């Protein structure tokens, strides 16, 4: 089952902040965040693991609430280069742990 | 390192034709997977593999076959193409089977007429 992302789309002016949310109905082992520019492949931003470990981009911050199965991606002082579609992907705890399931994405547009 | 490579970049098929999308990685990654991306649907997992000789189904496996005879290669076969399989296909790999960064290939844009 796909995680649910919100908002579906957001428009910012350069320098503004944004938060993108991701929630799942399943207990999670990890949450991944990727950014995709139009016509390109998704690019890794960050992984948040159960237990608190994080791996990824120095300039990107995110949180992972294990009890609520929710994650948020924080984009501060946005730049034009932040524009793109952001996907969260989730890996569930227990059972088959090998499936990374993505949400439908959040389209972020940063204008000058 | 070339990373994850996919061929072809573009393909047009007629309904009923078969073809194989190629995917290769040179990073000695255990985990490989295939996704399809359709407008408004995000990335949906088709099949995945946790190592040579081991494959399993994802969310949308119908109409697709995979095999993994080597660590490097993970081809995706369409046995009888249908218009509903028109999509962009991405192959991805990661070093471990869970909790690791996914490296995506550049994608194959497939149109089935």
């Amino acid at each position: 089952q796909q995680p649910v992302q919100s908002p579906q789309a957001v428009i910012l002016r350069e320098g503004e902040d944004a938060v993108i949310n991701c929630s799942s109905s399943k207990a999670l082992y990890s949450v991944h965040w990727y950014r995709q520019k139009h016509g390109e492949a998704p690019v890794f931003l960050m992984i948040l693991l159960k237990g608190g470990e994080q791996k990824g981009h120095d300039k990107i911050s995110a949180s992972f609430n294990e009890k609520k199965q929710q994650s948020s991606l924080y984009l501060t002082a946005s730049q034009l280069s932040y524009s793109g579609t952001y996907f969260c992907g989730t890996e569930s705890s227990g059972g088959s742990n090998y499936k990374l399931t993505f949400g439908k994405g959040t389209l972020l547009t940063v204008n000058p | 390192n070339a990373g994850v490579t996919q061929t072809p970049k573009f393909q047009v098929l007629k309904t009923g034709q078969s073809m194989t999308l190629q995917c290769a990685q040179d990073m000695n990654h255990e985990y490989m997977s295939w996704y399809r991306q359709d407008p408004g649907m995000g990335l949906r997992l088709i099949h995945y593999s946790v190592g040579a000789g081991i494959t399993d189904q994802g969310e949308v496996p119908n109409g697709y076959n995979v095999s993994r005879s080597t660590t490097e290669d993970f081809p995706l076969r369409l046995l009888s193409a249908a218009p509903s399989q028109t999509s962009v296909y991405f192959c991805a790999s990661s070093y471990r089977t869970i909790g690791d960064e996914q490296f995506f290939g550049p994608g194959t844009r497939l149109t089935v007429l």
Side-chain angles (χ1 to χ4, degrees):
Chain A
Q1 191 171 7
Q2 286 183 292
V4 177
Q5 288 186 233
S6 63
Q8 291 185 339
V10 59
I11 300 175
L12 300 175
R13 289 199 178 274
E14 210 171 356
E16 292 181 338
D17 302 337
V19 179
I20 300 173
N21 301 302
C22 175
S23 65
S24 174
S25 58
K26 299 182 178 181
L28 299 178
Y29 174 81
S30 71
V31 179
H32 297 222
W33 287 98
Y34 293 79
R35 177 172 60 212
Q36 184 180 31
K37 301 223 179 238
H38 184 69
E40 299 180 6
V43 174
F44 170 76
L45 294 175
M46 177 167 285
I47 290 179
L48 303 101
L49 300 169
K50 186 177 179 180
E53 184 182 357
Q54 295 188 7
K55 296 185 280 186
H57 215 288
D58 287 343
K59 296 185 178 180
I60 300 282
S61 65
S63 63
F64 178 22
N65 186 324
E66 297 172 30
K67 289 184 179 179
K68 293 186 176 180
Q69 291 100 251
Q70 294 176 346
S71 177
S72 295
L73 183 71
Y74 305 98
L75 301 167
T76 57
S78 60
Q79 305 171 16
L80 296 176
S81 62
Y82 287 10
S83 292
T85 301
Y86 289 76
F87 293 100
C88 73
T90 56
E91 291 173 302
S92 301
S93 298
S96 173
N97 284 332
Y98 309 123
K99 297 183 183 181
L100 179 59
T101 305
F102 286 94
K104 294 184 178 181
T106 295
L107 177 61
L108 178 72
T109 304
V110 181
N111 293 320
Chain B
N1 285 349
V4 180
T5 58
Q6 291 183 237
T7 56
K9 289 188 177 180
F10 301 94
Q11 183 70 49
V12 179
L13 292 178
K14 294 181 180 179
T15 297
Q17 287 184 318
S18 63
M19 80 159 296
T20 299
L21 307 185
Q22 301 292 343
C23 174
Q25 51 88 13
D26 61 357
M27 298 174 281
N28 200 32
H29 284 175
E30 289 182 24
Y31 184 90
M32 296 186 75
S33 56
W34 277 101
Y35 291 90
R36 61 176 289 173
Q37 186 173 35
D38 304 294
M41 296 300 294
L43 295 152
R44 291 184 292 170
L45 182 65
I46 304 172
H47 286 284
Y48 64 96
S49 169
V50 299
I54 307 170
T55 64
D56 205 347
Q57 297 181 348
E59 305 166 66
V60 288
N62 292 341
Y64 307 95
N65 278 355
V66 292
S67 60
R68 185 136 176 234
S69 56
T70 67
T71 300
E72 294 79 18
D73 301 299
F74 190 43
L76 179 72
R77 281 182 284 277
L78 283 71
L79 300 179
S80 178
S84 61
Q85 293 178 304
T86 294
S87 188
V88 179
Y89 291 85
F90 288 101
C91 178
S93 72
S94 65
Y95 182 63
R96 297 182 305 176
T97 56
I98 188 171
D100 220 356
E101 172 186 355
Q102 298 285 314
F103 292 82
F104 283 85
T108 295
R109 184 174 293 274
L110 176 68
T111 302
V112 183
L113 302 175

